[in-house]
Amino acid sequence: MTQPGHRTLTEFKHIVVMGLGITGLSVVNFIARHHPDAMIRVMDSRQSPPGEAQLPETVARHTGSWHSAWLASADLVVINPGISLATPVLAPVHAAGTPIVGDIELFAWYCDKPAVAITGSNGKSTVTALVGEMAKADGINVGVGGNIGVAALDLLDKGHDLYVLELSSFQLETTKSLTLQGAAFLNFSEDHMDRYQSLADYRAAKCRIFTHATTLIGNADDAQTQIDADMCLFGFSQGDYCLCTDDEQAWLSAQGKPALPVSSLSLVGRHNVANSLAAMALADSVGVSQSAQITALRTYTGLAHRCQKVAEHQGVIWVNDSKATNVASTLAALDGLEVSGYLHLLVGGEGKGADFSVLQPALAKLPVRLYCFGKDQAQLAALDASAQCFDTLQQAIDAAATAATKGDMVLLSPACASLDQFTNFAARGQAFVAGVESVIARPL
């Protein structure tokens, strides 16, 4: 079933899927399922793209470059979010007026149940997963995915009564028909400047989430997330969902009424208080009971690689925050951090053109020892006199293990993408966990 007024795949005969991987493969399978008569062609600039081995034998494919002739003959192009609309080979497609969409636009055409979505520079995955947990606690058959876990199209046709989607700016660029009960823009900071011409362009892509939303949710403490004076807001000191004091404790409140003491949250960190407030607003937009929300808030401990406590060994706490792929994520991890001894901070990777100097004020407030690795280690080392440089993450782990003593914390919060040395942030986090385990296993 499709949304009223939305297009369907059966309008198109020659469909080109541009870019494979998890998303591209989900697109191919979805088209084959809903429009078996379509001629599907797949192209990827990589010589051996992930997902190629899983393609149906009947699907034509071209790898190692783009195929201009295929694009010229297409009446629909579905592109992977990692591919910019400004890619030169797409110029003739734009000129011809051929529709160029992403997987979320296809999802919008066929979604027939309520949906909420989350975007922002940081915290998207945590809020998405938390709203999903709230819905499950209320007995709702919920599908959670998008830019997290399961590809959005793979959620359809599974009997779900609610969808919760994490959406990146890249996904939103090619989405115009998505109808949402609740849409949240969590926060905004510099990122992906290798993709966008300006911060304004990046923000505009994020704001597309509000196009067909019933409840627009923004951050009261971040004006860049707000587009309308009548928006629903969450924030620490103001907003429809904010903190209040009750019985001399800080509480999460909804519409002016205390809901749960902050001390009862299982999530760690001040930034996760804001994430919890945003999740409550989204849950309310689709009628999830407050009792179910509270159950999830009390029990949900967070996602791997996001301020995840890995171990405590000989009085040293090891924390994996590999998901901190930009400066703002690392700032969030450092905000309000309490360490009785030294903070041994591991940073590094591919900075994507970011300005690392904004980390200096936060570092100046902490008893920090900096360990820099990877491609942009030299730029990061300029942040603090304590900095040491290493070629690899493992070398940084070993150095921190040697220096750390009881009361210290070793935190991997890289402030950079991982692609200079790892396939993704999860692989980097797994390498950190393995490194910590090796440290713990060493004989005294």
Side-chain angles (χ1 to χ4, degrees):
M1 184 181 295
T2 62
Q3 288 274 24
H6 284 181
R7 308 188 76 165
T8 69
L9 285 166
T10 54
E11 297 176 39
F12 308 98
K13 179 65 176 177
H14 301 279
I15 303 175
V16 169
V17 178
M18 197 171 171
L20 257 175
I22 293 172
T23 300
L25 191 61
S26 75
V27 168
V28 171
N29 291 334
F30 187 81
I31 296 171
R33 189 163 69 247
H34 286 267
H35 188 12
D37 295 330
M39 178 183 290
I40 307 171
R41 290 169 167 172
V42 176
M43 65 175 71
D44 198 297
S45 61
R46 296 167 291 187
Q47 194 64 52
S48 300
E52 183 182 10
Q54 287 76 49
L55 281 175
E57 291 184 5
T58 55
V59 174
R61 78 239 14 218
H62 174 86
T63 61
S65 65
W66 302 125
H67 198 306
S68 299
W70 283 7
L71 289 169
S73 64
D75 50 19
L76 177 68
V77 176
V78 187
I79 68 170
N80 188 288
I83 301 169
S84 171
L85 285 167
T87 302
V89 75
L90 287 173
V93 183
H94 289 295
T98 303
I100 303 174
V101 302
D103 68 311
I104 303 303
E105 179 65 11
L106 297 185
F107 176 93
W109 293 358
Y110 285 83
C111 175
D112 63 349
K113 293 293 174 61
V116 298
I118 299 95
T119 195
S121 298
N122 299 292
K124 298 185 295 295
S125 297
T126 296
V127 174
T128 301
L130 180 52
V131 174
E133 292 302 310
M134 290 174 170
K136 290 176 188 175
D138 213 20
I140 298 171
N141 185 346
V142 60
V144 180
N147 195 47
I148 173 179
V150 181
L153 291 174
D154 290 343
L155 297 174
L156 294 174
D157 310 319
K158 301 290 175 61
H160 296 307
D161 295 315
L162 172 68
Y163 298 100
V164 182
L165 302 178
E166 174 186 324
L167 299 180
S168 70
S169 59
F170 297 171
Q171 289 170 311
L172 287 165
E173 287 174 17
T174 53
T175 303
K176 66 178 183 179
S177 305
L178 184 62
T179 300
L180 298 168
Q181 290 298 109
F185 187 172
L186 301 180
N187 45 60
F188 182 73
S189 59
E190 182 183 32
D191 199 4
H192 302 302
M193 288 299 99
D194 51 349
R195 171 84 168 237
Y196 295 102
Q197 293 186 350
S198 66
L199 279 173
D201 288 338
Y202 176 38
R203 178 179 179 270
K206 293 284 191 188
C207 286
R208 291 174 68 92
I209 198 170
F210 295 132
T211 305
H212 300 292
T214 300
T215 302
L216 284 61
I217 301 166
N219 187 336
D221 301 316
D222 188 344
Q224 295 281 13
T225 68
Q226 303 170 31
I227 65 168
D228 190 299
D230 296 325
M231 291 179 68
C232 173
L233 298 177
F234 69 92
F236 288 111
S237 59
Q238 59 182 326
D240 305 277
Y241 297 80
C242 63
L243 295 183
C244 70
T245 301
D246 189 68
D247 195 23
E248 299 184 351
Q249 289 190 79
W251 283 63
L252 304 179
S253 73
Q255 306 294 349
K257 297 180 180 179
L260 182 72
V262 171
S263 60
S264 296
L265 289 173
S266 287
L267 288 169
V268 175
R270 180 176 168 83
H271 59 297
N272 278 323
V273 173
N275 289 338
S276 298
L277 292 165
M280 292 170 67
L282 284 158
D284 277 351
S285 76
V286 284
V288 175
S289 70
Q290 189 171 93
S291 61
Q293 295 178 36
I294 290 172
T295 295
L297 289 166
R298 287 182 181 277
T299 58
Y300 181 64
T301 56
L303 297 164
H305 315 298
R306 295 162 180 83
C307 285
Q308 171 197 19
K309 181 178 176 181
V310 173
E312 184 169 352
H313 180 62
Q314 295 181 349
V316 177
I317 297 173
W318 295 79
V319 179
N320 170 21
D321 190 34
S322 182
K323 184 60 171 65
T325 57
N326 55 45
V327 170
S329 291
T330 298
L331 282 172
L334 298 177
D335 184 31
L337 192 67
E338 295 182 2
V339 186
S340 58
Y342 280 103
L343 172 66
H344 302 265
L345 179 62
L346 279 57
V347 293
E350 188 174 343
K352 300 176 289 184
D355 177 10
F356 294 126
S357 66
V358 296
L359 287 168
Q360 282 184 306
L363 295 175
K365 298 176 184 177
L366 294 164
V368 71
R369 297 291 181 267
L370 209 57
Y371 303 76
C372 310
F373 63 93
K375 180 180 178 182
D376 287 334
Q377 58 177 267
Q379 291 173 255
L380 288 157
L383 296 175
D384 193 86
S386 69
Q388 303 177 58
C389 289
F390 305 91
D391 291 332
T392 68
L393 172 59
Q394 185 60 53
Q395 290 171 351
I397 292 170
D398 291 340
T402 300
T405 59
K406 184 177 181 180
D408 290 358
M409 175 185 291
V410 181
L411 170 64
L412 170 67
S413 190
C416 292
S418 59
L419 301 181
D420 60 327
Q421 295 185 337
F422 300 94
T423 54
N424 51 44
F425 74 85
R428 178 171 61 190
Q430 289 159 5
F432 177 75
V433 172
V436 173
E437 289 173 348
S438 69
V439 165
I440 293 172
R442 291 172 190 167
L444 296 175

